[in-house]
Amino acid sequence: MKSMTSKIHPGAAKSAMRHVRKALWGHIRQLQREADDAFSRDFPGFVAAVEAGLRHEETILEALGYRCLHERRAENAMILCALHRVAPSVEQGSVKVGRQIAAALGDALALHRLADCPALADGPAASRLRRRAARLRCLAFPKRLRHLRHLRQRP
């Protein structure tokens, strides 16, 4: 069996990451367009799709030897915890919080995309992207995600 830490072709990694992100963005857009009753009904499938997408993304980053994988996994765990915490409420009809979580997930994906640029970069632009990502690591989650940390701490 091939080790998960073995190197993969950067072009294949870029393509796979792009595919994962497009799929996640598609799920977010589709869910946000749905009426409240359909939103409630489809939210568990959305959570499962997000779990699978984030897991796939982590696998790619691990294969690339991404230095910030531990931090990424912690962020993903916080996102998934928030999704699972609100899922029962959303399924019972409280879609407002579900829509907020979906929007916050979009913010997290945007931040992840910017932070991943150096890991996926090759050629002359790689050093410029690494410098930009170093500045991004100093940033906190977007404002809409700050309430997710509180959700994680509630009993």
Side-chain angles (χ1 to χ4, degrees):
M1 177 180 241
K2 197 171 185 180
S3 170
M4 290 301 296
T5 58
S6 66
K7 297 292 180 189
I8 62 173
H9 189 274
K14 287 179 193 179
S15 178
M17 291 289 283
R18 202 169 27 251
H19 177 74
V20 169
R21 288 200 179 108
K22 277 182 154 181
L24 288 172
W25 279 107
H27 288 300
I28 292 169
R29 282 192 301 271
Q30 178 184 354
L31 192 68
Q32 292 287 42
R33 285 191 297 249
E34 291 182 352
D36 288 352
D37 59 334
F39 188 98
S40 295
R41 183 186 64 242
D42 295 342
F43 195 76
F46 171 73
V47 173
V50 170
E51 284 178 354
L54 293 179
R55 193 174 326 113
H56 189 114
E57 193 174 84
E58 287 174 3
T59 302
I60 295 166
L61 292 174
E62 182 180 6
L64 283 170
Y66 187 62
R67 284 185 247 152
C68 298
L69 184 60
H70 180 72
E71 291 85 1
R72 171 61 59 84
R73 285 186 171 146
E75 292 169 3
N76 289 350
M78 185 177 69
I79 290 167
L80 293 173
C81 179
L83 285 169
H84 283 287
R85 185 170 297 273
V86 302
S89 299
V90 173
E91 290 177 53
Q92 294 172 359
S94 178
V95 297
K96 182 179 179 183
V97 70
R99 291 188 191 280
Q100 289 173 341
I101 292 290
L105 176 61
D107 291 344
L109 290 176
L111 185 61
H112 284 180
R113 182 184 62 81
L114 292 173
D116 291 344
C117 286
L120 300 175
D122 53 354
S127 63
R128 184 181 74 240
L129 291 171
R130 282 188 199 94
R131 286 192 304 272
R132 185 172 69 182
R135 288 191 304 267
L136 285 172
R137 282 188 211 112
C138 299
L139 297 176
F141 269 161
K143 289 181 182 178
R144 285 195 280 187
L145 290 176
R146 291 191 185 140
H147 73 281
L148 297 180
R149 293 176 190 224
H150 300 293
L151 288 173
R152 180 180 62 177
Q153 295 171 355
R154 289 185 190 159

PDB file of all heavy atoms in Angstrom, residues 75-112:
ATOM      1  N   GLU A  75      -9.080  23.514  12.239  1.00  0.00           N
ATOM      2  CA  GLU A  75     -10.115  24.387  11.675  1.00  0.00           C
ATOM      3  C   GLU A  75     -11.268  23.559  11.117  1.00  0.00           C
ATOM      4  O   GLU A  75     -12.441  23.883  11.339  1.00  0.00           O
ATOM      5  CB  GLU A  75      -9.524  25.263  10.575  1.00  0.00           C
ATOM      6  CG  GLU A  75      -8.546  26.287  11.065  1.00  0.00           C
ATOM      7  CD  GLU A  75      -7.777  26.955   9.932  1.00  0.00           C
ATOM      8  OE1 GLU A  75      -8.055  26.654   8.748  1.00  0.00           O
ATOM      9  OE2 GLU A  75      -6.894  27.755  10.240  1.00  0.00           O
ATOM     10  N   ASN A  76     -10.926  22.498  10.394  1.00  0.00           N
ATOM     11  CA  ASN A  76     -11.964  21.646   9.822  1.00  0.00           C
ATOM     12  C   ASN A  76     -12.791  20.984  10.911  1.00  0.00           C
ATOM     13  O   ASN A  76     -14.007  20.855  10.781  1.00  0.00           O
ATOM     14  CB  ASN A  76     -11.353  20.592   8.901  1.00  0.00           C
ATOM     15  CG  ASN A  76     -10.813  21.179   7.620  1.00  0.00           C
ATOM     16  OD1 ASN A  76     -11.047  22.342   7.311  1.00  0.00           O
ATOM     17  ND2 ASN A  76     -10.077  20.388   6.878  1.00  0.00           N
ATOM     18  N   ALA A  77     -12.139  20.572  11.990  1.00  0.00           N
ATOM     19  CA  ALA A  77     -12.866  19.951  13.101  1.00  0.00           C
ATOM     20  C   ALA A  77     -13.838  20.944  13.726  1.00  0.00           C
ATOM     21  O   ALA A  77     -14.972  20.579  14.074  1.00  0.00           O
ATOM     22  CB  ALA A  77     -11.888  19.433  14.149  1.00  0.00           C
ATOM     23  N   MET A  78     -13.422  22.197  13.845  1.00  0.00           N
ATOM     24  CA  MET A  78     -14.302  23.216  14.405  1.00  0.00           C
ATOM     25  C   MET A  78     -15.507  23.442  13.482  1.00  0.00           C
ATOM     26  O   MET A  78     -16.644  23.544  13.946  1.00  0.00           O
ATOM     27  CB  MET A  78     -13.541  24.524  14.592  1.00  0.00           C
ATOM     28  CG  MET A  78     -14.358  25.588  15.283  1.00  0.00           C
ATOM     29  SD  MET A  78     -13.449  27.102  15.574  1.00  0.00           S
ATOM     30  CE  MET A  78     -13.253  27.687  13.923  1.00  0.00           C
ATOM     31  N   ILE A  79     -15.270  23.482  12.188  1.00  0.00           N
ATOM     32  CA  ILE A  79     -16.348  23.668  11.223  1.00  0.00           C
ATOM     33  C   ILE A  79     -17.329  22.506  11.289  1.00  0.00           C
ATOM     34  O   ILE A  79     -18.549  22.692  11.354  1.00  0.00           O
ATOM     35  CB  ILE A  79     -15.781  23.830   9.799  1.00  0.00           C
ATOM     36  CG1 ILE A  79     -15.057  25.167   9.679  1.00  0.00           C
ATOM     37  CG2 ILE A  79     -16.876  23.710   8.748  1.00  0.00           C
ATOM     38  CD1 ILE A  79     -14.202  25.285   8.430  1.00  0.00           C
ATOM     39  N   LEU A  80     -16.801  21.287  11.294  1.00  0.00           N
ATOM     40  CA  LEU A  80     -17.669  20.101  11.341  1.00  0.00           C
ATOM     41  C   LEU A  80     -18.427  20.017  12.660  1.00  0.00           C
ATOM     42  O   LEU A  80     -19.587  19.612  12.688  1.00  0.00           O
ATOM     43  CB  LEU A  80     -16.855  18.838  11.095  1.00  0.00           C
ATOM     44  CG  LEU A  80     -16.286  18.717   9.679  1.00  0.00           C
ATOM     45  CD1 LEU A  80     -15.360  17.519   9.583  1.00  0.00           C
ATOM     46  CD2 LEU A  80     -17.401  18.625   8.657  1.00  0.00           C
ATOM     47  N   CYS A  81     -17.777  20.407  13.748  1.00  0.00           N
ATOM     48  CA  CYS A  81     -18.463  20.422  15.045  1.00  0.00           C
ATOM     49  C   CYS A  81     -19.656  21.372  15.005  1.00  0.00           C
ATOM     50  O   CYS A  81     -20.745  21.033  15.471  1.00  0.00           O
ATOM     51  CB  CYS A  81     -17.478  20.834  16.135  1.00  0.00           C
ATOM     52  SG  CYS A  81     -18.204  20.926  17.777  1.00  0.00           S
ATOM     53  N   ALA A  82     -19.444  22.549  14.440  1.00  0.00           N
ATOM     54  CA  ALA A  82     -20.534  23.517  14.336  1.00  0.00           C
ATOM     55  C   ALA A  82     -21.656  22.996  13.453  1.00  0.00           C
ATOM     56  O   ALA A  82     -22.839  23.134  13.789  1.00  0.00           O
ATOM     57  CB  ALA A  82     -20.006  24.847  13.801  1.00  0.00           C
ATOM     58  N   LEU A  83     -21.305  22.386  12.333  1.00  0.00           N
ATOM     59  CA  LEU A  83     -22.324  21.832  11.444  1.00  0.00           C
ATOM     60  C   LEU A  83     -23.150  20.761  12.152  1.00  0.00           C
ATOM     61  O   LEU A  83     -24.383  20.745  12.059  1.00  0.00           O
ATOM     62  CB  LEU A  83     -21.686  21.251  10.185  1.00  0.00           C
ATOM     63  CG  LEU A  83     -21.193  22.251   9.150  1.00  0.00           C
ATOM     64  CD1 LEU A  83     -20.341  21.563   8.098  1.00  0.00           C
ATOM     65  CD2 LEU A  83     -22.350  22.979   8.502  1.00  0.00           C
ATOM     66  N   HIS A  84     -22.465  19.866  12.856  1.00  0.00           N
ATOM     67  CA  HIS A  84     -23.182  18.795  13.560  1.00  0.00           C
ATOM     68  C   HIS A  84     -24.000  19.326  14.733  1.00  0.00           C
ATOM     69  O   HIS A  84     -25.055  18.790  15.050  1.00  0.00           O
ATOM     70  CB  HIS A  84     -22.201  17.722  14.035  1.00  0.00           C
ATOM     71  CG  HIS A  84     -21.750  16.825  12.943  1.00  0.00           C
ATOM     72  ND1 HIS A  84     -22.552  15.863  12.391  1.00  0.00           N
ATOM     73  CD2 HIS A  84     -20.569  16.761  12.265  1.00  0.00           C
ATOM     74  CE1 HIS A  84     -21.897  15.228  11.441  1.00  0.00           C
ATOM     75  NE2 HIS A  84     -20.688  15.760  11.341  1.00  0.00           N
ATOM     76  N   ARG A  85     -23.513  20.377  15.373  1.00  0.00           N
ATOM     77  CA  ARG A  85     -24.244  20.937  16.512  1.00  0.00           C
ATOM     78  C   ARG A  85     -25.561  21.579  16.086  1.00  0.00           C
ATOM     79  O   ARG A  85     -26.559  21.476  16.778  1.00  0.00           O
ATOM     80  CB  ARG A  85     -23.387  21.950  17.250  1.00  0.00           C
ATOM     81  CG  ARG A  85     -24.062  22.458  18.509  1.00  0.00           C
ATOM     82  CD  ARG A  85     -23.139  23.255  19.362  1.00  0.00           C
ATOM     83  NE  ARG A  85     -22.014  22.509  19.878  1.00  0.00           N
ATOM     84  CZ  ARG A  85     -22.029  21.803  21.007  1.00  0.00           C
ATOM     85  NH1 ARG A  85     -23.120  21.754  21.721  1.00  0.00           N
ATOM     86  NH2 ARG A  85     -20.953  21.182  21.428  1.00  0.00           N
ATOM     87  N   VAL A  86     -25.559  22.245  14.930  1.00  0.00           N
ATOM     88  CA  VAL A  86     -26.779  22.921  14.489  1.00  0.00           C
ATOM     89  C   VAL A  86     -27.686  22.024  13.659  1.00  0.00           C
ATOM     90  O   VAL A  86     -28.846  22.369  13.434  1.00  0.00           O
ATOM     91  CB  VAL A  86     -26.482  24.225  13.705  1.00  0.00           C
ATOM     92  CG1 VAL A  86     -25.679  25.184  14.553  1.00  0.00           C
ATOM     93  CG2 VAL A  86     -25.813  23.953  12.394  1.00  0.00           C
ATOM     94  N   ALA A  87     -27.184  20.882  13.214  1.00  0.00           N
ATOM     95  CA  ALA A  87     -27.967  20.006  12.329  1.00  0.00           C
ATOM     96  C   ALA A  87     -29.328  19.631  12.908  1.00  0.00           C
ATOM     97  O   ALA A  87     -30.337  19.734  12.202  1.00  0.00           O
ATOM     98  CB  ALA A  87     -27.166  18.759  11.963  1.00  0.00           C
ATOM     99  N   PRO A  88     -29.429  19.214  14.188  1.00  0.00           N
ATOM    100  CA  PRO A  88     -30.762  18.879  14.712  1.00  0.00           C
ATOM    101  C   PRO A  88     -31.736  20.059  14.679  1.00  0.00           C
ATOM    102  O   PRO A  88     -32.908  19.896  14.348  1.00  0.00           O
ATOM    103  CB  PRO A  88     -30.488  18.435  16.149  1.00  0.00           C
ATOM    104  CG  PRO A  88     -29.059  18.010  16.163  1.00  0.00           C
ATOM    105  CD  PRO A  88     -28.376  18.890  15.160  1.00  0.00           C
ATOM    106  N   SER A  89     -31.231  21.257  14.989  1.00  0.00           N
ATOM    107  CA  SER A  89     -32.094  22.451  14.956  1.00  0.00           C
ATOM    108  C   SER A  89     -32.564  22.747  13.541  1.00  0.00           C
ATOM    109  O   SER A  89     -33.727  23.099  13.321  1.00  0.00           O
ATOM    110  CB  SER A  89     -31.341  23.666  15.499  1.00  0.00           C
ATOM    111  OG  SER A  89     -30.966  23.466  16.823  1.00  0.00           O
ATOM    112  N   VAL A  90     -31.649  22.616  12.600  1.00  0.00           N
ATOM    113  CA  VAL A  90     -32.000  22.893  11.196  1.00  0.00           C
ATOM    114  C   VAL A  90     -33.020  21.878  10.706  1.00  0.00           C
ATOM    115  O   VAL A  90     -33.993  22.240  10.042  1.00  0.00           O
ATOM    116  CB  VAL A  90     -30.738  22.896  10.311  1.00  0.00           C
ATOM    117  CG1 VAL A  90     -31.103  23.002   8.841  1.00  0.00           C
ATOM    118  CG2 VAL A  90     -29.805  24.034  10.712  1.00  0.00           C
ATOM    119  N   GLU A  91     -32.824  20.620  11.050  1.00  0.00           N
ATOM    120  CA  GLU A  91     -33.764  19.578  10.628  1.00  0.00           C
ATOM    121  C   GLU A  91     -35.155  19.798  11.220  1.00  0.00           C
ATOM    122  O   GLU A  91     -36.152  19.382  10.632  1.00  0.00           O
ATOM    123  CB  GLU A  91     -33.241  18.205  11.029  1.00  0.00           C
ATOM    124  CG  GLU A  91     -32.032  17.775  10.227  1.00  0.00           C
ATOM    125  CD  GLU A  91     -31.483  16.452  10.693  1.00  0.00           C
ATOM    126  OE1 GLU A  91     -32.250  15.485  10.775  1.00  0.00           O
ATOM    127  OE2 GLU A  91     -30.272  16.400  10.988  1.00  0.00           O
ATOM    128  N   GLN A  92     -35.228  20.468  12.373  1.00  0.00           N
ATOM    129  CA  GLN A  92     -36.520  20.766  12.994  1.00  0.00           C
ATOM    130  C   GLN A  92     -37.118  22.070  12.492  1.00  0.00           C
ATOM    131  O   GLN A  92     -38.179  22.481  12.955  1.00  0.00           O
ATOM    132  CB  GLN A  92     -36.373  20.812  14.515  1.00  0.00           C
ATOM    133  CG  GLN A  92     -36.025  19.464  15.104  1.00  0.00           C
ATOM    134  CD  GLN A  92     -35.702  19.541  16.582  1.00  0.00           C
ATOM    135  OE1 GLN A  92     -35.717  20.622  17.181  1.00  0.00           O
ATOM    136  NE2 GLN A  92     -35.401  18.403  17.170  1.00  0.00           N
ATOM    137  N   GLY A  93     -36.437  22.728  11.552  1.00  0.00           N
ATOM    138  CA  GLY A  93     -37.029  23.899  10.922  1.00  0.00           C
ATOM    139  C   GLY A  93     -36.350  25.217  11.205  1.00  0.00           C
ATOM    140  O   GLY A  93     -36.756  26.250  10.673  1.00  0.00           O
ATOM    141  N   SER A  94     -35.327  25.252  12.023  1.00  0.00           N
ATOM    142  CA  SER A  94     -34.617  26.493  12.324  1.00  0.00           C
ATOM    143  C   SER A  94     -33.518  26.709  11.285  1.00  0.00           C
ATOM    144  O   SER A  94     -32.338  26.478  11.535  1.00  0.00           O
ATOM    145  CB  SER A  94     -34.020  26.426  13.731  1.00  0.00           C
ATOM    146  OG  SER A  94     -33.302  27.599  14.014  1.00  0.00           O
ATOM    147  N   VAL A  95     -33.916  27.187  10.113  1.00  0.00           N
ATOM    148  CA  VAL A  95     -32.973  27.269   8.999  1.00  0.00           C
ATOM    149  C   VAL A  95     -32.080  28.502   9.050  1.00  0.00           C
ATOM    150  O   VAL A  95     -31.044  28.532   8.380  1.00  0.00           O
ATOM    151  CB  VAL A  95     -33.704  27.207   7.643  1.00  0.00           C
ATOM    152  CG1 VAL A  95     -34.414  25.891   7.472  1.00  0.00           C
ATOM    153  CG2 VAL A  95     -34.644  28.358   7.472  1.00  0.00           C
ATOM    154  N   LYS A  96     -32.445  29.504   9.835  1.00  0.00           N
ATOM    155  CA  LYS A  96     -31.640  30.722   9.885  1.00  0.00           C
ATOM    156  C   LYS A  96     -30.205  30.416  10.310  1.00  0.00           C
ATOM    157  O   LYS A  96     -29.254  30.861   9.669  1.00  0.00           O
ATOM    158  CB  LYS A  96     -32.259  31.740  10.840  1.00  0.00           C
ATOM    159  CG  LYS A  96     -31.495  33.033  10.900  1.00  0.00           C
ATOM    160  CD  LYS A  96     -32.144  34.030  11.821  1.00  0.00           C
ATOM    161  CE  LYS A  96     -31.319  35.303  11.873  1.00  0.00           C
ATOM    162  NZ  LYS A  96     -31.880  36.269  12.811  1.00  0.00           N
ATOM    163  N   VAL A  97     -30.044  29.633  11.352  1.00  0.00           N
ATOM    164  CA  VAL A  97     -28.697  29.293  11.809  1.00  0.00           C
ATOM    165  C   VAL A  97     -27.985  28.407  10.789  1.00  0.00           C
ATOM    166  O   VAL A  97     -26.779  28.524  10.590  1.00  0.00           O
ATOM    167  CB  VAL A  97     -28.726  28.654  13.220  1.00  0.00           C
ATOM    168  CG1 VAL A  97     -29.330  27.265  13.194  1.00  0.00           C
ATOM    169  CG2 VAL A  97     -27.329  28.603  13.810  1.00  0.00           C
ATOM    170  N   GLY A  98     -28.704  27.556  10.118  1.00  0.00           N
ATOM    171  CA  GLY A  98     -28.116  26.729   9.070  1.00  0.00           C
ATOM    172  C   GLY A  98     -27.596  27.564   7.913  1.00  0.00           C
ATOM    173  O   GLY A  98     -26.524  27.297   7.375  1.00  0.00           O
ATOM    174  N   ARG A  99     -28.349  28.582   7.542  1.00  0.00           N
ATOM    175  CA  ARG A  99     -27.908  29.471   6.464  1.00  0.00           C
ATOM    176  C   ARG A  99     -26.678  30.273   6.896  1.00  0.00           C
ATOM    177  O   ARG A  99     -25.770  30.514   6.103  1.00  0.00           O
ATOM    178  CB  ARG A  99     -29.040  30.394   6.038  1.00  0.00           C
ATOM    179  CG  ARG A  99     -30.161  29.655   5.324  1.00  0.00           C
ATOM    180  CD  ARG A  99     -31.185  30.610   4.736  1.00  0.00           C
ATOM    181  NE  ARG A  99     -32.365  29.913   4.277  1.00  0.00           N
ATOM    182  CZ  ARG A  99     -32.443  29.264   3.103  1.00  0.00           C
ATOM    183  NH1 ARG A  99     -31.409  29.227   2.303  1.00  0.00           N
ATOM    184  NH2 ARG A  99     -33.559  28.653   2.756  1.00  0.00           N
ATOM    185  N   GLN A 100     -26.638  30.671   8.168  1.00  0.00           N
ATOM    186  CA  GLN A 100     -25.474  31.392   8.679  1.00  0.00           C
ATOM    187  C   GLN A 100     -24.227  30.501   8.657  1.00  0.00           C
ATOM    188  O   GLN A 100     -23.141  30.947   8.284  1.00  0.00           O
ATOM    189  CB  GLN A 100     -25.727  31.891  10.098  1.00  0.00           C
ATOM    190  CG  GLN A 100     -26.728  33.015  10.168  1.00  0.00           C
ATOM    191  CD  GLN A 100     -27.087  33.370  11.607  1.00  0.00           C
ATOM    192  OE1 GLN A 100     -26.886  32.586  12.531  1.00  0.00           O
ATOM    193  NE2 GLN A 100     -27.612  34.566  11.791  1.00  0.00           N
ATOM    194  N   ILE A 101     -24.389  29.255   9.053  1.00  0.00           N
ATOM    195  CA  ILE A 101     -23.264  28.320   9.058  1.00  0.00           C
ATOM    196  C   ILE A 101     -22.788  28.067   7.631  1.00  0.00           C
ATOM    197  O   ILE A 101     -21.581  28.015   7.373  1.00  0.00           O
ATOM    198  CB  ILE A 101     -23.664  26.992   9.740  1.00  0.00           C
ATOM    199  CG1 ILE A 101     -23.898  27.199  11.228  1.00  0.00           C
ATOM    200  CG2 ILE A 101     -22.641  25.898   9.499  1.00  0.00           C
ATOM    201  CD1 ILE A 101     -22.653  27.475  12.034  1.00  0.00           C
ATOM    202  N   ALA A 102     -23.705  27.923   6.692  1.00  0.00           N
ATOM    203  CA  ALA A 102     -23.319  27.695   5.297  1.00  0.00           C
ATOM    204  C   ALA A 102     -22.556  28.899   4.753  1.00  0.00           C
ATOM    205  O   ALA A 102     -21.557  28.735   4.038  1.00  0.00           O
ATOM    206  CB  ALA A 102     -24.551  27.396   4.443  1.00  0.00           C
ATOM    207  N   ALA A 103     -23.002  30.108   5.099  1.00  0.00           N
ATOM    208  CA  ALA A 103     -22.291  31.313   4.652  1.00  0.00           C
ATOM    209  C   ALA A 103     -20.908  31.386   5.288  1.00  0.00           C
ATOM    210  O   ALA A 103     -19.926  31.742   4.625  1.00  0.00           O
ATOM    211  CB  ALA A 103     -23.104  32.556   5.002  1.00  0.00           C
ATOM    212  N   ALA A 104     -20.816  31.039   6.571  1.00  0.00           N
ATOM    213  CA  ALA A 104     -19.518  31.047   7.257  1.00  0.00           C
ATOM    214  C   ALA A 104     -18.579  30.010   6.648  1.00  0.00           C
ATOM    215  O   ALA A 104     -17.378  30.240   6.544  1.00  0.00           O
ATOM    216  CB  ALA A 104     -19.716  30.783   8.742  1.00  0.00           C
ATOM    217  N   LEU A 105     -19.129  28.891   6.232  1.00  0.00           N
ATOM    218  CA  LEU A 105     -18.317  27.871   5.582  1.00  0.00           C
ATOM    219  C   LEU A 105     -17.729  28.412   4.282  1.00  0.00           C
ATOM    220  O   LEU A 105     -16.569  28.151   3.957  1.00  0.00           O
ATOM    221  CB  LEU A 105     -19.146  26.611   5.307  1.00  0.00           C
ATOM    222  CG  LEU A 105     -18.449  25.493   4.548  1.00  0.00           C
ATOM    223  CD1 LEU A 105     -17.238  24.994   5.309  1.00  0.00           C
ATOM    224  CD2 LEU A 105     -19.411  24.358   4.267  1.00  0.00           C
ATOM    225  N   GLY A 106     -18.510  29.191   3.568  1.00  0.00           N
ATOM    226  CA  GLY A 106     -17.987  29.826   2.355  1.00  0.00           C
ATOM    227  C   GLY A 106     -16.810  30.736   2.668  1.00  0.00           C
ATOM    228  O   GLY A 106     -15.816  30.752   1.937  1.00  0.00           O
ATOM    229  N   ASP A 107     -16.895  31.484   3.777  1.00  0.00           N
ATOM    230  CA  ASP A 107     -15.777  32.332   4.195  1.00  0.00           C
ATOM    231  C   ASP A 107     -14.538  31.493   4.525  1.00  0.00           C
ATOM    232  O   ASP A 107     -13.424  31.844   4.163  1.00  0.00           O
ATOM    233  CB  ASP A 107     -16.155  33.165   5.421  1.00  0.00           C
ATOM    234  CG  ASP A 107     -17.191  34.227   5.116  1.00  0.00           C
ATOM    235  OD1 ASP A 107     -17.402  34.539   3.926  1.00  0.00           O
ATOM    236  OD2 ASP A 107     -17.793  34.750   6.077  1.00  0.00           O
ATOM    237  N   ALA A 108     -14.743  30.380   5.226  1.00  0.00           N
ATOM    238  CA  ALA A 108     -13.619  29.516   5.589  1.00  0.00           C
ATOM    239  C   ALA A 108     -12.964  28.930   4.344  1.00  0.00           C
ATOM    240  O   ALA A 108     -11.735  28.854   4.263  1.00  0.00           O
ATOM    241  CB  ALA A 108     -14.086  28.401   6.518  1.00  0.00           C
ATOM    242  N   LEU A 109     -13.765  28.526   3.379  1.00  0.00           N
ATOM    243  CA  LEU A 109     -13.201  27.982   2.140  1.00  0.00           C
ATOM    244  C   LEU A 109     -12.392  29.033   1.391  1.00  0.00           C
ATOM    245  O   LEU A 109     -11.348  28.722   0.814  1.00  0.00           O
ATOM    246  CB  LEU A 109     -14.308  27.434   1.247  1.00  0.00           C
ATOM    247  CG  LEU A 109     -14.999  26.164   1.716  1.00  0.00           C
ATOM    248  CD1 LEU A 109     -16.130  25.800   0.766  1.00  0.00           C
ATOM    249  CD2 LEU A 109     -14.016  25.029   1.842  1.00  0.00           C
ATOM    250  N   ALA A 110     -12.863  30.263   1.405  1.00  0.00           N
ATOM    251  CA  ALA A 110     -12.125  31.333   0.742  1.00  0.00           C
ATOM    252  C   ALA A 110     -10.782  31.553   1.431  1.00  0.00           C
ATOM    253  O   ALA A 110      -9.746  31.718   0.772  1.00  0.00           O
ATOM    254  CB  ALA A 110     -12.940  32.622   0.742  1.00  0.00           C
ATOM    255  N   LEU A 111     -10.771  31.525   2.754  1.00  0.00           N
ATOM    256  CA  LEU A 111      -9.530  31.692   3.494  1.00  0.00           C
ATOM    257  C   LEU A 111      -8.595  30.510   3.252  1.00  0.00           C
ATOM    258  O   LEU A 111      -7.392  30.683   3.054  1.00  0.00           O
ATOM    259  CB  LEU A 111      -9.826  31.831   4.989  1.00  0.00           C
ATOM    260  CG  LEU A 111      -8.635  32.141   5.883  1.00  0.00           C
ATOM    261  CD1 LEU A 111      -7.999  33.464   5.484  1.00  0.00           C
ATOM    262  CD2 LEU A 111      -9.068  32.176   7.334  1.00  0.00           C
ATOM    263  N   HIS A 112      -9.135  29.312   3.216  1.00  0.00           N
ATOM    264  CA  HIS A 112      -8.325  28.125   2.936  1.00  0.00           C
ATOM    265  C   HIS A 112      -7.697  28.214   1.546  1.00  0.00           C
ATOM    266  O   HIS A 112      -6.541  27.848   1.361  1.00  0.00           O
ATOM    267  CB  HIS A 112      -9.169  26.857   3.021  1.00  0.00           C
ATOM    268  CG  HIS A 112      -9.483  26.438   4.411  1.00  0.00           C
ATOM    269  ND1 HIS A 112     -10.228  25.317   4.679  1.00  0.00           N
ATOM    270  CD2 HIS A 112      -9.163  26.967   5.614  1.00  0.00           C
ATOM    271  CE1 HIS A 112     -10.348  25.183   5.982  1.00  0.00           C
ATOM    272  NE2 HIS A 112      -9.718  26.171   6.568  1.00  0.00           N
TER     273      HIS A 112
END
